Amino acid sequence: MSWQVALYAAAIGSPLIAFAIELIFIRRLGSRNAYIATGAIGLSFVLSLVGFLDYLIEADGLFA
């Protein structure tokens, strides 16, 4: 399995896992739900950006 597959799976899975955590612990977390959601979205963005930049480097440009 390529490391890019794991990267994209983590990028998709992090917001889903954060949603499940928020759904289960909604009353205990209170206002911290927003921080969890924002962190998961930010992590997903960073992982997707790493994959995109790796693609650009391997493909020698966007339209190669």
Side-chain angles (χ1 to χ4, degrees), residues 37-63:
T38 304
I41 292 169
L43 177 65
S44 180
F45 170 74
V46 168
L47 293 175
S48 297
L49 184 64
V50 168
F52 178 69
L53 292 176
D54 178 64
Y55 172 75
L56 283 181
I57 292 169
E58 293 292 324
D60 294 326
L62 188 58
F63 301 108

Side-chain angles (χ1 to χ4, degrees), residues 22 33-43:
E22 290 176 356
N33 280 328
Y35 294 116
I36 293 172
T38 304
I41 292 169
L43 177 65

Side-chain angles (χ1 to χ4, degrees), residues 23-37:
L23 192 62
I24 294 169
F25 300 109
I26 191 165
R27 294 194 185 257
R28 284 192 170 166
L29 292 174
S31 63
R32 290 177 287 208
N33 280 328
Y35 294 116
I36 293 172

